[in-house]
Amino acid sequence: MGFITTLAPLLGLGGLILAGIMYSVVIRQPEGNEKMREIAGMIHDGAMVYLKRQYKILFIVIIIAAIALTIFIGFSTAVAYLFGAFFSMLAGYFGMKGATKANVRTAEAANRYKPNPGKALSVAFIGGSVMGLSVASLGLIGIGIFFYFFGYPETSSVINGFAMGASSIALFARVGGGIYTKTADVGADLVGKVEAGIPEDDPRNPGVIADNVGDNVGDVAGLGADIFESYVGSIIATIALGATVIAGSAAAELGTSLSLMSYPLILAMVGLIASVIGIGALKYLEQFNPASALRYSTFIATAVFLVLGFLSTFVSHVAVTVYVAVFAGCICGIAIGLITEYYTSSRPVHRIEEASETGAATNIISGLAVGLESTVLPLVAICIAIFVANHFAGLYGIGIAAVGMLATTGIIMSVDAYGPIADNAGGISEMSGLGEDVREITDSLDALGNTTAAIGKGFAIGSAALTALAMFAAYSQAITLKLGHSFDIIITDPKVVIGLFIGGTLPFLIGALTMTSVGKAAFKMVNEIRRQFRDIPGLLEGKEGVKPDVAKCIDISTKAALTEMILPGLIALLMPIVVGFILGPFALGGMLAGATVTGVLLAIFMANAGGAWDNAKKFIEQGSHGGKGSDAHKAAVVGDTVGDPFKDTSGPSMNILIKLMSVVSLIIAPLLV
Amino acid sequence: MGFITTLAPLLGLGGLILAGIMYSVVIRQPEGNEKMREIAGMIHDGAMVYLKRQYKILFIVIIIAAIALTIFIGFSTAVAYLFGAFFSMLAGYFGMKGATKANVRTAEAANRYKPNPGKALSVAFIGGSVMGLSVASLGLIGIGIFFYFFGYPETSSVINGFAMGASSIALFARVGGGIYTKTADVGADLVGKVEAGIPEDDPRNPGVIADNVGDNVGDVAGLGADIFESYVGSIIATIALGATVIAGSAAAELGTSLSLMSYPLILAMVGLIASVIGIGALKYLEQFNPASALRYSTFIATAVFLVLGFLSTFVSHVAVTVYVAVFAGCICGIAIGLITEYYTSSRPVHRIEEASETGAATNIISGLAVGLESTVLPLVAICIAIFVANHFAGLYGIGIAAVGMLATTGIIMSVDAYGPIADNAGGISEMSGLGEDVREITDSLDALGNTTAAIGKGFAIGSAALTALAMFAAYSQAITLKLGHSFDIIITDPKVVIGLFIGGTLPFLIGALTMTSVGKAAFKMVNEIRRQFRDIPGLLEGKEGVKPDVAKCIDISTKAALTEMILPGLIALLMPIVVGFILGPFALGGMLAGATVTGVLLAIFMANAGGAWDNAKKFIEQGSHGGKGSDAHKAAVVGDTVGDPFKDTSGPSMNILIKLMSVVSLIIAPLLV
């Protein structure tokens, strides 16, 4: 068993090499005509410039945090922290590289092989798999190496640093990316589509390149960092829970401390193998039905994972009951994905469409209602998973359930990253004038991507909830261990109540800050685009040779994202420290619980309301309730615009907020008693 | 001391007589011309018909609940329950009577004494004081009587029934009233103001009478039932906490069990006296500056209460430290009111106005952001109050802080009920064509009412939070007492976590249900008003003698309210029972905590976002950002319409949801172990 976990970094390295091969496959695809290459070049450069500037700022935060960790916790933890942060950035960088190369090649594939969308789907997916494989492999390499050196109950807390590093990057990347993409999207849409009446991704629109850059920095790099940290966080929280199992206790019946610590890592290895098999299966499946190929390849990977995961209980010497928790987590993830799909593309969406007939106000009211309602079933699924996991494997079960949900991250993330690539491909084909038939193919790929994106968000939320709970449990165990007696956070204790309230408020505060940031920046973007349409003669008329000043718009998005990500990031990083040291470990426990509850709820509410508004608009554009240009359509555009920062900025920030705060708490736990 | 509490019902009776006198003062005012009387008659009848039908339905619920209480808990508790329910209905009935008589007389006073608004303000306020005094007096009578018979530690749990009765009525009244008023308001506005371009309260609009009826059933009867139950609930929860104080424990240093049980009742008595003084002061203050008279009379009442409350610690033989908790609660209530005022009428509103310039979408985004942000400071205020109260008087302190916040209910509720009366007066003057100058006076009274309404809502939320916490503490004490050993709800226990998640989701579910109800019913209302404008010849042109079919619109609102209030009401009533018996008392504890956290946050978010949208529209109408008819105004109307169900239906339902669930839990507590 000790031997198997040694293989984790090697397996990770293999995955990373495979990601490199995928990248070279993408690169070898034809990249279309000069205009396409020019546009793709601008998107690529905009994304890379943003990423570099973001990493420069984060560098400062990371160095300060690492110094603080060295002083207060220990040098090894600080090193682990630096690695976690660095690997997260690396995963983002690789993924962006893949995505920004694949977008134009997807457009070209749609152009060359029309009317068959299979080839284009394949290119986009391979591009996405660069991200998917990078995330899973880098996670495995990083944790594998630190587990090799510190994978013993006494020293395993060092590994927590890796999770904190990943979380730190994730929050800034998610918030910054989210602000970037929605500033550009909202601004470009409000002036272009609503005021000037020109189509989406029209090359005359000065904000359109920034919008396409935004898809990459928000939905690829941002989501990647988010999932990377969930993946890493769930494994590390479970290792921490395994480390506190004391021989002779009830939990010890599940396995020895060492075997329980190894099992999550082994599951992650098995999950990577399953993901690679799933990715390979897509190549075969897309020949039959591209539309369902993404879904079936995910199912295949899940099935393979479930079989291998079961077998590995025997190799790992953990009780078979532990596997039930893994199974529960995995099924819970799928259930949340399907519920998300229902709320963002089925009957509830039709309610919003219908309400659009009486105007923007009723569209918004019904969208908010759908979002609120959509929180119920996912929470029920999470509660069932918690119940089952705890019943069969105690608190450790909650951690391992999160690992079960996330082990197939390799394929989940590939499918997620496919979405923005397809979206970009559509933008490039529109801007370079590839024609209606090509646009139709990319639109169909994009529509598929919207659904997978919604499911991906559901997954991210579900896993964040379980990961945060596992971290929370690990926090309480860590304090118990330090105290030497039980550490009971009692909910009627007024300090805990205060913590609950403070924690509950934080997601609302982060939501307010991020919404305000997008609102303010979009306001600037709108005025800039209006100015260009007014001041650049011939631009709006589409006169030959007249080009918009896209750099100015990219600059607005970049600056807004980089300045506005700081405050939410620091709040998340510092609140556990402030509350922990001023109000004490009980209040901090309450705070984590409060933040987890409202964070998960707000995240689901915002993601699903946004997704439902988006699709309501799409369905109306496809002809229902009067179609494009009708009053219902105008109302639906308002809903979609409100939903943009909901689903792509504020909502996703919640996931990381709750995970980051719990990992920080876990790390400072020994200092609090 | 035993003697003093005996006086409570008598003092209450005195207050009720005063309410009767106030009513007769209102009745004696001139009620204007025939047209005004006709319109006022229709509003009065519509409101009374609704109230009667609502009470008929509630009668069934109450009888079933009373039978269940008799079987499972005891006959005395069932009787207390019936009294609580009956008194709540009575308070609603008296208040509605006062309000629906005062509205037309306020309009007439504005007409007769123009341009001086003082007299009209006075009539509206006296009308409101019928409700304010009824709520406080009936509460005091009811609790006083049951305290006389059951005010001993061993039997005091019977009094909980009274709180549950009040809560049961409150939830249905709030939800039903909220759906009624917003169905009418949204429907009438969407077709009248937005589509047909006719002014608010135009007599041609078929929905306008229903809208005015709605102000009464929602903002008078609904809010009255809400505050009645907070008032009653806080006193009773504190009695329950006092009853569990065991001689020799730390809490016993605050006073004997009996004295701690009496103190909240004595505070309520003192609060009623202070309220009467405040109401009297208004008569004097309105001569100088009507605009600030409402505010100052509230401050005077508060000051009197704080002085008398301090003195009564000596009479009650409780420690002076207990008074610090009372003080903290009282200041916390005022602080929340002022914060609410800031967010709904100051700088944040200007942000929304500015965002309206770029359309409805940015208006909505910034309004949602303001709402989210506005949760932070009130929660900080509540946390400080909890901290101080607990520091000086333990868990009992949290209960008594809630009492401190609510003791001056008599005047708070009077000011609250003033708002809809002024609003109605404006409607009546518009519909009966009293002219611009009269409308200007009623508008100024109405604007004042909007601010007081926002503050009143803040108060309702703050008190609901503390009352729910006190109930929650009483629940845990009750189980401890029954078990004979400590009952620790530990937050890392997976069952508690499941409870937390379920509880946290419930406010989202109730929010979804109520928003959907308003959306659906408003859709019907819109279609009906559109139909009348289309099918009744000469209606829209304002042809002499052509009248809209207002009864049809009243019917739509009534039916929607009565059918749609059932499900949310039953969920709130039954969830504690379901969770308590299936998942056990620990999970139920978690559920209460989760519901309190998200309920309070959603309530503040919704109330303040709604209030801010409302005022952003008002300010634009007063000329900022292009004024009436500008694009910014159109955008602001969308925001205001979305805010309507937010602030008047879904938001206020949260307060009662959390209180009702905690009182039900408190009552079933002995059955759970």
Side-chain angles (χ1 to χ4, degrees), chain A residues 432-493:
Chain A
S432 52
L434 285 186
E436 269 303 309
D437 42 354
V438 176
R439 181 77 205 192
E440 225 162 72
I441 294 177
T442 58
D443 271 358
S444 75
L445 297 182
D446 187 23
L448 204 60
N450 274 330
T451 311
T452 61
I455 297 176
K457 270 173 203 138
F459 231 88
I461 298 164
S463 63
L466 288 186
T467 304
L469 285 176
M471 286 276 180
F472 179 39
Y475 160 78
S476 128
Q477 299 277 34
I479 293 196
T480 305
L481 217 65
K482 177 89 182 181
L483 282 172
H485 60 80
S486 81
F487 169 71
D488 292 337
I489 307 168
I490 297 167
I491 220 172
T492 43
D493 172 357

Side-chain angles (χ1 to χ4, degrees), chain A residues 45-133:
Chain A
D45 294 350
M48 285 300 158
V49 165
Y50 172 75
L51 214 59
K52 274 177 201 150
R53 286 179 63 178
Q54 178 176 276
Y55 287 169
K56 256 188 210 161
I57 296 175
L58 294 190
F59 188 71
I60 303 168
V61 177
I62 292 161
I63 292 300
I64 295 173
I67 292 171
L69 283 173
T70 309
I71 297 172
F72 296 106
I73 309 289
F75 181 67
S76 311
T77 306
V79 172
Y81 175 81
L82 287 174
F83 266 86
F86 178 65
F87 274 33
S88 172
M89 292 198 264
L90 216 54
Y93 179 79
F94 289 160
M96 285 267 283
K97 267 281 179 204
T100 51
K101 294 294 173 189
N103 54 11
V104 64
R105 290 165 175 86
T106 301
E108 177 59 17
N111 187 29
R112 279 196 192 199
Y113 302 96
K114 64 194 167 191
N116 178 13
K119 182 71 183 170
L121 175 97
S122 192
V123 175
F125 182 74
I126 294 172
S129 73
V130 175
M131 183 66 157
L133 290 169

Side-chain angles (χ1 to χ4, degrees), chain A residues 379 390 489 491 494 501 504 601, chain B residues 379 390 472 489 491 494 501 504 601:
Chain A
L379 265 285
N390 175 62
I489 307 168
I491 220 172
F501 275 134
L601 285 162
Chain B
L379 265 285
N390 175 62
F472 179 40
I489 307 168
I491 221 171
F501 274 133
L601 285 163

Side-chain angles (χ1 to χ4, degrees), chain B residues 460-524:
Chain B
I461 297 164
S463 63
L466 288 185
T467 305
L469 285 177
M471 285 277 180
F472 179 40
Y475 161 79
S476 126
Q477 300 277 35
I479 293 196
T480 304
L481 217 66
K482 177 89 182 178
L483 280 172
H485 59 80
S486 81
F487 168 71
D488 292 338
I489 307 168
I490 296 167
I491 221 171
T492 42
D493 171 358
K495 277 202 177 169
V496 177
V497 171
I498 291 173
L500 264 177
F501 274 133
I502 295 176
T505 315
L506 287 176
F508 281 74
L509 175 61
I510 298 294
L513 291 174
T514 47
M515 294 280 286
T516 307
S517 299
V518 172
K520 275 194 304 187
F523 189 76
K524 275 185 208 156

